């Protein structure tokens, strides 16, 4: 099983680049057609494609003797992908499938439709993660529904990895937060919000600066104010490999230095 992320890659003279708008969000109709056509084309090879809640995709196929090393494409945004594709033992079959996917998508009717709508073409389905399905006894939540306190942990997000973690832990999964109000009013002892800042969407601002300003205004600044006011006790911000933990006193100092919330991500 592999997560399959739709990407728009930009080919240059000497490298292939993943723009920050290169993670594509496909509508339900497009996803259904893509799954149907993928299965018709690659079923003979033993591969199939499945839709996940929230618009994600999962590819399944024959067992690999050795799993190759793969990378979450979200960690490659804004740079070249050279050296970050599938590698290591067992990479050859997945690399071969990836090359076939690029050629298949290049001529696929969905890209003709995207071109007519002036949308970026879907250039590949980036396969990453990988592993055998968990057995039923391993996939069950570690606590029973009767023993779980639904107010303990709430998670906002549509990411398939997060959905899987919630299923295993028993945390309550909700739709992505529309704003800070949703997060602050969750009613849970602990609340987490997964913000897919750079996934493409028709309503998304056009520039990186606008995206960051929107994140600041709609989410970070209100939560920081809630931290200052004592509404919440602690705030943890995680961006890739950077993590900042703030309590109320940190929040006060943070704002006195006249630095915006995005400063902790720099």
């Amino acid at each position: 099983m592999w997560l399959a992320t739709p990407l728009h890659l930009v080919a240059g003279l000497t490298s292939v680049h993943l723009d920050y708008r290169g993670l594509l969000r496909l509508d339900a109709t497009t996803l259904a057609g893509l799954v149907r056509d993928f299965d018709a084309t690659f079923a003979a090879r033993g591969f199939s494609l499945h839709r996940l809640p929230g618009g994600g995709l999962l590819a399944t196929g024959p067992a690999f003797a050795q799993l190759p090393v793969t990378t979450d494409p979200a960690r490659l945004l804004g740079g070249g992908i050279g050296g970050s594709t599938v590698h290591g033992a067992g990479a050859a079959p997945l690399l071969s499938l990836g090359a076939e996917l690029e050629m298949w998508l290049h001529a696929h009717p969905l890209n003709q439709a995207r071109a007519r709508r002036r949308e970026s073409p879907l250039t590949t389905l980036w396969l990453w993660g990988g592993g055998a399905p968990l057995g039923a006894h391993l996939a069950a939540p570690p606590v029973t529904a009767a023993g779980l306190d639904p107010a303990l942990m709430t998670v906002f997000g549509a990411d398939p990895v997060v959905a899987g973690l919630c299923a295993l832990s028993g945390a309550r999964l909700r739709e992505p937060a529309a704003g800070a109000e949703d997060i602050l009013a969750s009613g849970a002892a602990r609340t987490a919000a997964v913000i897919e800042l750079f996934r493409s969407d028709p309503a998304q601002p056009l520039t990186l600066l606008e995206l960051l300003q929107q994140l600041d205004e709609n989410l970070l600044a209100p939560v920081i104010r809630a931290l200052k006011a004592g509404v919440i006790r602690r705030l943890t911000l995680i961006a890739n490999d950077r993590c900042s933990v703030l309590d109320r006193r940190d929040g006060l100092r943070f704002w006195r230095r006249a630095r915006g919330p995005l400063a902790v991500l720099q």
Side-chain angles (χ1 to χ4, degrees):
M1 304 176 70
W2 311 89
L3 290 168
T5 302
L7 296 185
H8 169 65
L9 298 174
V10 181
L13 293 177
T14 59
S15 64
V16 178
H17 181 85
L18 179 58
D19 184 76
Y20 77 91
R21 288 170 290 185
L23 293 176
L24 301 181
R25 177 181 281 114
L26 305 178
D27 60 68
T29 301
T30 301
L31 285 170
L34 190 64
V35 168
R36 180 189 63 248
D37 294 348
F38 181 99
D39 290 351
T41 304
F42 296 98
R45 297 268 306 278
F47 289 97
S48 62
L49 196 63
H50 311 269
R51 291 177 59 182
L52 296 173
L57 291 170
L58 186 74
T60 60
F64 279 50
Q66 291 180 290
L67 286 176
V69 178
T70 60
T71 303
D72 180 351
R75 300 181 64 86
L76 306 175
L77 288 169
I81 66 169
S84 300
T85 53
V86 184
H87 59 91
L94 210 59
L95 285 171
S96 176
L97 178 62
E100 290 184 53
L101 281 172
E102 292 183 18
M103 293 186 290
W104 175 66
L105 288 168
H106 179 72
H108 197 281
L110 79 85
N111 274 326
Q112 298 173 14
R114 292 181 67 86
R116 289 193 296 269
R117 297 192 299 266
R118 298 186 178 182
E119 296 175 348
S120 300
L122 168 61
T123 55
T124 191
L125 293 176
W126 184 280
L127 303 183
W128 62 283
L134 293 177
H137 65 290
L138 293 176
V143 294
T144 64
L148 175 66
D149 180 1
L152 179 63
M153 182 72 177
T154 293
V155 180
F156 292 89
D159 181 87
V161 175
V162 173
L165 291 173
C166 287
L168 289 172
S169 68
R172 179 189 181 194
L173 180 64
R174 295 181 57 180
E175 294 292 321
E181 296 79 9
D182 288 350
I183 300 171
L184 296 173
S186 75
R190 293 186 177 184
T191 302
V194 179
I195 311 300
E196 295 183 85
L197 184 63
F198 301 114
R199 189 172 292 276
S200 69
D201 187 275
Q204 187 181 66
L206 295 179
T207 69
L208 178 59
L209 180 60
E210 287 177 311
L211 281 171
L212 295 176
Q213 288 176 335
Q214 187 180 71
L215 173 66
D216 190 353
E217 295 171 2
N218 295 344
L219 286 169
L220 295 184
V223 173
I224 290 289
R225 288 195 293 269
L227 182 68
K228 284 180 57 179
V231 176
I232 59 175
R233 292 184 301 169
R234 180 174 296 172
L235 171 65
T236 302
L237 298 176
I238 302 173
N240 278 340
D241 296 323
R242 297 177 181 268
C243 177
S244 295
V245 181
L246 306 174
D247 60 24
R248 184 172 182 271
R249 291 185 177 183
D250 292 328
L252 290 171
R253 291 197 299 270
F254 189 78
W255 282 93
R256 281 204 299 268
R257 292 172 62 190
R259 299 174 64 196
L262 291 173
V264 299
L265 305 182
Q266 297 173 353

